Amino acid sequence: MRVWDFPLRLFHWSLFISIVGAIVSVKADVMWLHERFGLTILGLITFRIFWGFLGGHYAQFRQFLTLPPIAFQELKTILKPKPKTKAGHSAIGGYATLALLGIPLFMAISGTMSNDDVLFEGPLAHLVPNGTDAASSSHRIGENFLLFVVFLHFSAIVFYKYKHKRNLTSAMVTGNADDVTVRSVDGSISIKRKFFGIFLMLVFIATAQSILLLRPSLF
Ligand code: HEM
Ligand code: HEM
């Protein structure tokens, strides 16, 4: 059955590539590329927020954002040897999703106001002359939180693979899950909505990239 719609999968793998790109480029000191990747992440996450209201059934926030006691109950079920499998994020996975979206969003916003103590400044750093150092240090500290949630994300995927023999990754690649045992709603969307999603994603990425135009010219 269809779980993840195409725009959501495109978003996910683009986010993965852009985060790897942002980290590799900053370590290689290629700052122009770092800010391009970072702004792409800003556009992608803005898209994802909208898609949480406009996307397919399992992309919608109301589908996976639950109250903590429900998430806690579900966590106990997941730890059982043979839990029932449902489509979409688990309640605890919903919280993980918030962190996997929130931390990169924080990184991208603080990055636009950061400076590297030498020559490079984010495009909005001139707007917050007194806050750029605080933005830079929180941007740097944010890296540890980001690496930590990504580590938890991988651990959860490996846990499902070995403990429950569920391959969640193939569902995020193909959009389909064949191991769902609870009757579930189909997550497909129409072709029109698919194109609308891709278009929306491109508009947000382009808008985020255009933040660079706000950098003051040196000449
Ligand atoms: C920088 C690294 C990554 C980040 C920031 C990230 C972020 C996310 C986010 C935000 C979601 C929630 C999807 C949504 O509803 O928007 C998600 C889900 C998912 N990701 Fe990743 N991801 C990363 C890498 C990976 C990799 C490398 C894999 C595969 C090996 C992967 C597999 C999955 C799977 C299978 C799901 C769906 C989980 C479920 O069934 O609830 N992710 N990821
Ligand atoms: C999720 C997106 C982002 C990630 C994961 C990220 C990651 C990082 C990391 C890890 C560093 C510290 C490098 C080091 O000291 O080793 C850094 C520095 C920096 N980043 Fe980003 N960044 C992101 C987005 C952005 C954006 C959008 C901009 C600007 C448009 C930006 C501008 C900067 C600047 C100016 C620095 C130097 C400040 C410093 O030395 O801490 N970043 N970034």
Side-chain angles (χ1 to χ4, degrees), residues 83-87 166 178-184:
K84 287 186 181 153
T85 54
K86 64 175 194 120
R166 287 192 73 189
D178 301 321
D179 52 2
V180 175
T181 57
V182 178
R183 248 174 87 93
S184 311

Side-chain angles (χ1 to χ4, degrees), residues 3-4 8-9 11-13 15-20 23 45 48-49 51 58-61 64 86-90 92-94 96-102 104 146-147 149-151 153-154 156-158 160 166-173:
V3 182
W4 307 117
L8 184 115
R9 284 178 280 139
F11 153 79
H12 178 270
W13 295 113
L15 180 67
F16 170 57
I17 293 169
S18 307
I19 288 189
V20 172
I23 293 181
I45 293 178
R48 180 64 184 97
I49 294 171
W51 206 239
Y58 298 102
Q60 303 218 356
F61 292 134
F64 60 84
K86 64 175 194 120
H89 293 305
S90 63
I92 199 83
T97 299
L98 283 188
L100 286 162
L101 296 176
L146 179 65
L147 294 178
V149 286
V150 169
F151 168 75
H153 186 47
F154 290 153
I157 292 163
V158 171
Y160 271 98
R166 287 192 73 189
N167 188 347
L168 300 180
T169 306
S170 75
M172 200 32 109
V173 174

Side-chain angles (χ1 to χ4, degrees), residues 30-204:
V30 188
M31 291 311 281
W32 69 267
L33 193 57
H34 177 68
E35 68 179 4
R36 288 287 181 187
F37 276 121
L39 292 171
T40 304
I41 293 166
L42 181 62
L44 284 170
I45 293 178
T46 313
F47 158 77
R48 180 64 184 97
I49 294 171
F50 276 78
W51 206 239
F53 301 97
L54 305 172
H57 184 78
Y58 298 102
Q60 303 218 356
F61 292 134
R62 64 189 161 94
Q63 223 17 72
F64 60 84
L65 295 185
T66 49
L67 292 171
I70 302 177
F72 190 66
Q73 268 303 324
E74 215 185 89
L75 185 61
K76 286 202 274 188
T77 323
I78 291 171
L79 297 173
K80 284 186 183 159
K82 273 204 172 302
K84 287 186 181 153
T85 54
K86 64 175 194 120
H89 293 305
S90 63
I92 199 83
Y95 284 100
T97 299
L98 283 188
L100 286 162
L101 296 176
I103 295 171
L105 178 64
F106 173 78
M107 295 290 292
I109 293 174
S110 56
T112 60
M113 300 173 213
S114 295
N115 69 77
D116 70 353
D117 284 338
V118 198
L119 274 176
F120 193 81
E121 267 195 358
L124 304 183
H126 65 289
L127 298 177
V128 284
N130 298 326
T132 174
D133 286 343
S136 313
S137 49
S138 53
H139 190 69
R140 235 170 283 143
I141 294 167
E143 180 188 13
N144 303 315
F145 286 95
L146 179 65
L147 294 178
F148 180 65
V149 286
V150 169
F151 168 75
L152 288 184
H153 186 47
F154 290 153
S155 310
I157 292 163
V158 171
F159 171 82
Y160 271 98
K161 184 149 175 60
Y162 291 102
K163 171 116 170 101
H164 297 314
K165 310 269 175 286
R166 287 192 73 189
N167 188 347
L168 300 180
T169 306
S170 75
M172 200 32 109
V173 174
T174 64
N176 300 322
D178 301 321
D179 52 2
V180 175
T181 57
V182 178
R183 248 174 87 93
S184 311
V185 177
D186 184 46
S188 337
I189 55 171
S190 66
I191 299 257
K192 238 165 127 183
R193 206 149 144 218
K194 200 184 284 182
F195 277 108
F196 169 67
I198 298 170
F199 172 73
L200 200 66
M201 197 181 306
L202 293 175
V203 168
F204 282 126

